[in-house]
Amino acid sequence: MADYDVIVIGAGLGGLSSGAICASRGRKVLVLEQSDLVGGCCSTFEKEGYHFDIGASIVEVVDSLENAFAAMNTSLSDELDLVPCDPIYDYILKDGTRFQFPISVEETADVIRKVAPADAEAWPRFASYMKEFMALASDAVFGSPMVTMGDFARMFVKYPALLKFGELFTSSYEDVIKKWFKSSAMQQTTAYQAFYVGLPPELAAGVYALLGYSEHEGTYYPPGGMIQIPKAYQKVGERHGMEVRTGARVDRVLTRNRQVEGVVLADGTEITSKLVISNINAMTLYLKLIGEENLPWLARVGIKSYEPSMSVPMIYLGVDYKPELEAHHTLITRPLEEMDDYWYNIYKKGKLPDDMFSLMCWPTETDPSLAPEGHHVVNLIMTPGPYRLEGTDWDREKEAYIEKSIDFVSRTAMPGLKEHVKVAEISTPLDFERRLLHPEGAIYGLQQPTTATMVFRPSAKSKSIKGLYLSGASTHPGGGVPSAVGSGIIAADLIEKYE
Ligand SMILES: Cc1cc2nc3c(=O)[nH]c(=O)nc-3n(C[C@H](O)[C@H](O)[C@H](O)COP(=O)(O)OP(=O)(O)OC[C@H]3O[C@@H](n4cnc5c(N)ncnc54)[C@H](O)[C@@H]3O)c2cc1C
């Protein structure tokens, strides 16, 4: 008799949501998390009275969050408080032009008429095209398992209306955006989001161009910090008997004859189960925890063909003044071509940029209790940061990088910032690797070009090891808060179907 029905490795969103759903369906579930916090990239830590989100700073497209709660016979509104963030962005272009995009598509059109009149007509058409695609895709594409080519083909049979959007499956993100928008302002404000799937616009898959619209369906922040989202799934799971152990690193997945038998923790403890859900990076899972020697050759070749996703340095600032910001998110953006150029000529070459396109998150605008009274929290997500730096490393560079970034932001977006910083912390790509065991600090699991998307991503039901399931950013539908939760539903449903 095994110790547990299901063991989940990692208490990220994919792990907690899949574990909680399995528990609500009567299975005895244990979640093992190596760090002392749940939530992984979607978590929050405290320092000197300031509460900093480790990674994710907002959630948009909450359908999958709703669906995961519904699968446990409860609802998002009963379990989690989410406050809308409106405007979505305060944009600052290279020439200093500054404007905000509100949630409302119509009010956004008013802004576009002023800042990019050439695209004023295209915007409402783009929005309604992507709205229609999203209505279909949230179930057909992002909410469905993509285990076999049959699943992919069935998607079009079950949802023939998707054929109208065929070009999104065969084009790049950049192709889609350039087809719709002619002005640099619109191209960059709708293309930056390609980095939310970990690639520049030229390399990201066309289906993700919906991100330029999806934020207008609602962008939210949970009071108390992003950790409230994983905690909500933990709480519901625990009501159904799910156990969560922090400080418990899994070092091995035990297999016999390519069937899961359990796991071994870093302290040598062996825990048995015939079912394991992995919420960790799929390359680490297969190549280290299971071991190449236990994989069929095709699986070995397959998993080695992926690359870890991009990383990013994130700076956490506690400040003793109210920053002059207009929105939860301020985006210093650059022309689309410069984003692509940055990828090839700076990021890929292991260099650090002088000019940074960056995202500033101001969570205390939404929840002042995240900082001492009169103080604020500002998190800076700087340009993608290479894991390997040319001629140096992040531990040597980080203090100078914090200083340079604060200086850059003081000059371009938040005058006076430099004089008001009380606490400054950073997660470099190396720190993300140490904190969350993400190889090369990969913040979205694996890179996600078209060739590693949907059915081409590591499968939620392992094809080489029986009893092994995957949830989280490394499997379909990929990185991001809603996708990670969506992957949790898919893994739990597959277990229900096959086990
Ligand atoms: C800087 C940054 C900004 C982001 N911004 C946003 C945003 O604004 N909006 C958005 O939607 N998404 C954002 N994301 C992406 C989003 O946060 C992630 O894609 C999502 O949270 C990943 O969830 P996951 O289920 O893959 O688990 P992860 O968050 O990857 O968690 C995996 C967990 O497994 C644990 N673990 C690893 N190895 C082991 C082991 N051997 N044993 C036990 N436990 C282990 C880790 O400690 C971690 O807690 C951001 C991510 C980062 C890093």
Side-chain angles (χ1 to χ4, degrees):
M1 177 82 178
D3 298 326
Y4 289 87
D5 297 329
V6 182
I7 291 175
V8 182
I9 309 173
L13 282 167
L16 287 169
S17 56
S18 54
I21 297 172
C22 287
S24 76
R25 291 173 177 165
R27 296 184 195 255
K28 188 180 173 199
V29 178
L30 172 66
V31 181
L32 297 164
E33 166 56 45
Q34 59 86 26
S35 76
D36 55 359
L37 286 173
V38 297
C41 299
C42 184
S43 195
T44 310
F45 69 95
E46 191 265 346
K47 184 166 184 197
E48 296 177 29
Y50 299 96
H51 298 260
F52 300 109
D53 293 318
I54 289 176
S57 53
I58 47 100
V59 55
E60 57 185 60
V61 194
V62 292
D63 303 20
S64 63
L65 274 65
E66 302 245 24
N67 294 343
F69 287 119
M72 297 182 277
N73 293 320
T74 182
S75 66
L76 192 150
S77 57
D78 282 339
E79 306 295 345
L80 181 63
D81 189 13
L82 288 177
V83 177
C85 302
D86 197 3
I88 308 169
Y89 291 108
D90 182 19
Y91 285 108
I92 305 176
L93 308 192
K94 195 171 184 174
D95 64 4
T97 310
R98 196 163 177 159
F99 55 90
Q100 291 93 43
F101 271 7
I103 286 183
S104 152
V105 169
E106 293 73 27
E107 287 170 28
T108 302
D110 294 338
V111 180
I112 295 170
R113 264 190 287 279
K114 287 183 203 130
V115 298
D119 287 321
E121 293 214 342
W123 166 252
R125 285 190 287 114
F126 172 79
S128 89
Y129 174 85
M130 287 303 182
K131 186 183 173 75
E132 196 187 335
F133 176 59
M134 268 186 72
L136 276 171
S138 63
D139 198 30
V141 183
F142 303 112
S144 299
M146 290 284 166
V147 178
T148 62
M149 282 309 276
D151 291 329
F152 184 70
R154 265 188 297 279
M155 172 176 85
F156 290 102
V157 176
K158 195 168 163 200
Y159 301 91
L162 271 181
L163 289 169
K164 174 177 161 190
F165 301 94
E167 62 178 351
L168 296 180
F169 294 86
T170 52
S171 315
S172 73
Y173 193 121
E174 180 165 329
D175 290 340
V176 176
I177 292 304
K178 281 191 163 166
K179 186 186 151 197
W180 284 95
F181 302 118
K182 303 298 167 222
S183 69
S184 175
M186 277 311 281
Q187 286 180 357
Q188 58 190 288
T189 53
T190 48
Y192 172 85
Q193 294 84 338
F195 288 106
Y196 295 171
V197 289
L199 285 169
E202 189 176 279
L203 297 179
V207 282
Y208 297 107
L210 66 79
L211 289 168
Y213 160 75
S214 61
E215 295 161 323
H216 295 268
E217 296 226 335
T219 300
Y220 303 92
Y221 187 76
M226 292 299 285
I227 195 172
Q228 299 308 326
I229 303 177
K231 272 190 172 173
Y233 291 108
Q234 177 180 4
K235 191 179 63 182
V236 182
E238 285 174 347
R239 283 211 297 267
H240 292 284
M242 179 175 85
E243 279 175 57
V244 178
R245 272 187 224 167
T246 53
R249 193 182 82 211
V250 176
D251 269 3
R252 295 285 296 169
V253 174
L254 296 169
T255 58
R256 187 191 299 172
N257 300 330
R258 300 210 175 121
Q259 158 71 54
V260 161
E261 298 264 291
V263 299
V264 184
L265 303 188
D267 66 5
T269 310
E270 217 174 285
I271 310 173
T272 58
S273 175
K274 291 282 182 199
L275 293 175
V276 163
I277 301 176
S278 166
N279 183 216
I280 67 171
N281 188 287
M283 294 180 82
T284 311
L285 166 74
Y286 280 113
L287 298 175
K288 297 215 169 123
L289 270 60
I290 289 178
E292 292 191 40
E293 64 286 5
N294 296 313
L295 296 176
W297 73 268
L298 197 55
R300 240 178 358 242
V301 173
I303 195 68
K304 286 183 182 172
S305 70
Y306 294 100
E307 273 185 64
S309 82
M310 71 169 207
S311 194
V312 64
M314 179 154 172
I315 297 171
Y316 314 100
L317 303 176
V319 298
D320 67 354
Y321 81 137
K322 184 168 184 231
E324 282 179 38
L325 292 170
E326 304 286 342
H328 185 98
H329 271 170
T330 300
L331 187 56
I332 301 177
T333 174
R334 291 291 176 259
L336 190 150
E337 292 73 19
E338 287 186 32
M339 294 182 203
D340 289 333
D341 185 64
Y342 171 81
W343 184 262
Y344 296 112
N345 290 318
I346 309 275
Y347 180 81
K348 283 294 197 185
K349 292 185 177 166
K351 295 181 181 164
L352 288 174
D354 291 324
D355 185 38
M356 303 165 168
F357 47 95
S358 51
L359 186 64
M360 281 156 283
C361 319
W362 182 29
T364 36
E365 190 222 17
T366 313
D367 179 7
S369 74
L370 294 172
E373 210 179 326
H375 290 228
H376 282 265
V377 165
V378 180
N379 298 320
L380 310 177
I381 301 182
M382 307 310 286
T383 29
Y387 174 74
R388 289 179 194 82
L389 295 179
E390 195 186 31
T392 180
D393 66 48
W394 274 106
D395 285 343
R396 266 187 279 170
E397 293 303 320
K398 66 178 165 188
E399 292 309 324
Y401 190 78
I402 295 177
E403 213 171 294
K404 185 170 152 183
S405 304
I406 293 175
D407 189 57
F408 177 79
V409 169
S410 299
R411 273 188 287 113
T412 49
M414 291 171 58
L417 172 68
K418 247 198 307 206
E419 287 77 51
H420 292 280
V421 174
K422 293 287 141 194
V423 170
E425 282 268 310
I426 185 169
S427 283
T428 67
L430 258 183
D431 298 321
F432 276 121
E433 185 176 59
R434 289 174 187 139
R435 192 193 280 256
L436 300 172
L437 308 186
H438 288 343
E440 304 193 2
I443 65 167
Y444 299 119
L446 307 174
Q447 264 194 20
Q448 197 154 359
T450 306
T451 48
T453 298
M454 291 186 267
V455 74
F456 303 116
R457 219 161 169 73
S459 169
K461 179 180 187 300
S462 174
K463 289 172 185 155
S464 40
I465 305 288
K466 283 198 212 96
L468 179 64
Y469 290 79
L470 272 65
S471 66
S474 283
T475 185
H476 173 73
V481 170
S483 298
V485 174
S487 76
I489 304 174
I490 291 173
D493 285 352
L494 285 170
I495 286 182
E496 211 49 25
K497 183 170 170 189
Y498 290 103
E499 311 288 346

